[in-house]
Amino acid sequence: MLAIIGGSGLTQLSNLSIVRREVVRTPYGEPSGALTFGELGGHPVVFLARHGYGHTIPPHLVNYRANIWALKHAKVSAVVSVASVGGIRSDLGPGELVVPNQIIDYTWGRVATFFEGGDKPVHHIDFTRPYDDQVRARILAAASSAGIVVHDGAVYAATQGPRLETAAEVNRLERDGADVVGMTGMPEAALARELDLPYAAVNVVANHAAGRAGSETSIAFARIESVLQDAMVRVRKLLESL
Ligand code: HPA
């Protein structure tokens, strides 16, 4: 069974026929909300809204451990994360869909491992390729068969938020080699790897990152919402195809 973690703009899947909801208790506290089990494209899926169903949990306060543990507990075979991002690379403007292949982590102060405390031995996961190659390939194939254009490969910069970046910060991210910037990609991806859950992401470009084309002065929030709504129609189609 596939798990989908929905971010900003995707707090529910309108094409999901819901079978049941389950509140999962975890050793790490409460997940962002109940797991929603249902069917998408004739296949069972489980959906979780990363920021809560009322979109009240900011990126730095998401209980990433509880979310990933709950999905593992539900015996999912893979996790697809949907998350909105700012576009740094000039061809990644609002509305573009991106399947990233690398991560640079700039977050701080987030609990980023299951392996601490008690008698748990330290565990160093291999994270050379942070996203699962097979899940990525299946997302790309699903997009292709549904006729949806996605960008194959991008470096995702995970920032702390909840504020957006300064123009100078985005310049630094670009010098570091980042193509898109978001606030929720880490530690989520690393925690999934720690539990051996194949994990990949679909990023939806909501805006030009700060100081980039079209955002020379500031980021227009009214526009972000309409861009996301339009893009999520394609994301839902992609997920159904997947
Ligand atoms: N920066 C960080 N996170 C984001 C952005 C951004 O510009 N847009 C959507 N999520």
Side-chain angles (χ1 to χ4, degrees):
M1 177 174 55
L2 182 70
I4 297 161
I5 304 180
S8 301
L10 196 76
T11 47
Q12 53 190 19
L13 273 180
S14 50
N15 50 350
L16 178 76
S17 53
I18 298 172
V19 174
R20 71 191 165 93
R21 289 201 168 85
E22 188 182 332
V23 177
V24 180
R25 302 200 187 289
T26 88
Y28 305 97
E30 287 199 19
S32 297
L35 301 186
T36 303
F37 292 84
E39 277 196 3
L40 191 62
H43 292 273
V45 297
V46 54
F47 180 80
L48 175 62
R50 181 184 287 113
H51 299 286
Y53 288 87
H55 204 278
T56 51
I57 310 170
H60 63 295
L61 294 182
V62 170
N63 191 341
Y64 296 97
R65 287 202 300 189
N67 287 352
I68 294 296
W69 192 95
L71 295 176
K72 181 76 179 182
H73 176 78
K75 300 197 164 37
V76 306
S77 50
V79 179
V80 174
S81 151
V82 178
S84 74
V85 294
I88 300 174
R89 219 168 71 199
S90 60
D91 62 324
L92 300 179
E96 298 292 328
L97 303 185
V98 181
V99 182
N101 63 337
Q102 277 296 332
I103 296 175
I104 304 176
D105 186 9
Y106 300 90
T107 64
W108 49 269
R110 301 184 183 188
V111 185
T113 181
F114 288 104
F115 296 93
E116 64 181 10
D119 51 7
K120 285 210 189 76
V122 175
H123 183 56
H124 301 285
I125 50 162
D126 182 280
F127 209 44
T128 310
R129 297 168 76 79
Y131 298 106
D132 184 84
D133 287 327
Q134 276 182 23
V135 181
R136 284 193 76 255
R138 289 179 65 175
I139 293 170
L140 294 169
S144 164
S145 74
I148 295 164
V149 177
V150 297
H151 295 264
D152 176 5
V155 177
Y156 175 101
T159 55
Q160 177 70 0
R163 67 166 177 85
L164 294 160
E165 297 70 36
T166 67
E169 285 169 337
V170 174
N171 290 342
R172 172 171 78 131
L173 300 182
E174 185 170 48
R175 286 196 300 275
D176 284 355
D179 301 307
V180 294
V181 52
M183 302 173 189
T184 55
M186 287 294 286
E188 194 173 87
L191 292 167
R193 181 65 54 84
E194 282 194 348
L195 295 191
D196 280 329
L197 268 180
Y199 175 101
V202 177
N203 291 151
V204 182
V205 180
N207 55 279
H208 290 287
R212 295 289 165 278
S215 130
E216 296 304 342
T217 48
S218 65
I219 292 170
F221 275 93
R223 211 175 120 56
I224 288 185
E225 206 138 299
S226 73
V227 166
L228 278 181
Q229 265 180 27
D230 169 74
M232 290 308 170
V233 173
R234 278 174 284 136
V235 169
R236 288 190 181 94
K237 243 174 85 181
L238 195 168
L239 292 172
E240 198 164 328
S241 165
L242 178 65

